[in-house]
């Protein structure tokens, strides 16, 4: 699931992206795709407990799986929202209205398995001058 840049400029050069995903293979693939586009990836983190401390660092955006090792990523999303850090949900959940009700329509929601190109495009829509 790697993203083909087709000789174009890297879209995410120098952006710091927090990656919170508990599926190891998916996390690795997303991380590599983001790095291929020039992003600096913080993570991947598989739990709320490991990801929350990373929110204290400078971040430009985040990709959050909702269901993490028995917990929900809502505390991470709430922290990012409070800090003004945009994020994308990448989830296998079927009840997307819960996410929209809680975080509004400004947070992109991608349903797994989204292609790397879709994830990168979603990040571009929330990052300033990406």
């Amino acid at each position: 699931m790697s993203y083909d840049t087709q000789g174009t400029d890297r879209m995410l050069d120098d952006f710091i992206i927090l990656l919170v995903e508990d599926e190891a293979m998916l996390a690795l693939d997303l991380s590599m795709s983001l790095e291929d586009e020039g992003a600096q990836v913080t993570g991947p983190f598989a739990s709320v407990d490991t990801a929350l401390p990373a929110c204290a660092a400078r971040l430009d955006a985040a990709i959050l799986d909702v269901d993490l090792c028995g917990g929900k990523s809502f505390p991470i999303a709430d922290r990012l929202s409070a800090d003004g850090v945009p994020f994308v949900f990448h989830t296998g959940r079927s009840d997307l209205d819960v996410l929209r009700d809680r975080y509004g329509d400004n947070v992109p929601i991608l349903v797994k398995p989204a292609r790397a190109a879709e994830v990168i495009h979603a990040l571009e829509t929330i990052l300033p001058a990406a």
Side-chain angles (χ1 to χ4, degrees):
M1 180 159 86
S2 66
Y3 181 66
D4 181 11
T5 60
Q6 299 175 346
T8 61
D9 291 332
R10 297 185 316 171
M11 303 292 190
L12 301 176
D13 274 345
D14 301 321
F15 285 109
I16 301 170
I17 309 296
L18 174 70
L19 177 57
V20 181
E21 172 60 62
D22 64 351
E23 294 179 42
M25 292 302 291
L26 183 54
L28 178 62
D29 190 50
L30 279 172
S31 182
M32 289 174 33
S33 295
L34 294 168
E35 288 171 351
D36 285 348
E37 285 302 317
Q40 297 175 38
V41 178
T42 301
F45 298 100
S47 71
V48 172
D49 290 342
T50 58
L52 268 177
C55 292
R58 182 174 96 61
L59 299 169
D60 294 304
I63 301 168
L64 305 179
D65 184 6
V66 175
D67 297 307
L68 300 171
C69 298
K72 306 283 186 234
S73 64
F74 296 149
I76 303 164
D78 293 343
R79 169 73 185 268
L80 295 170
S81 291
D83 292 345
V85 177
F87 57 93
V88 172
F89 282 120
H90 185 232
T91 182
R93 294 178 67 104
S94 60
D95 58 345
L96 302 182
D97 288 338
V98 170
L99 299 176
R100 286 187 192 100
D101 289 345
R102 186 167 177 148
Y103 297 100
D105 292 328
N106 293 329
V107 177
I109 302 170
L110 300 173
V111 177
K112 287 182 184 180
R115 294 175 323 182
E118 294 173 288
V119 175
I120 290 165
H121 176 71
L123 286 172
E124 289 174 309
T125 66
I126 62 172
L127 285 166

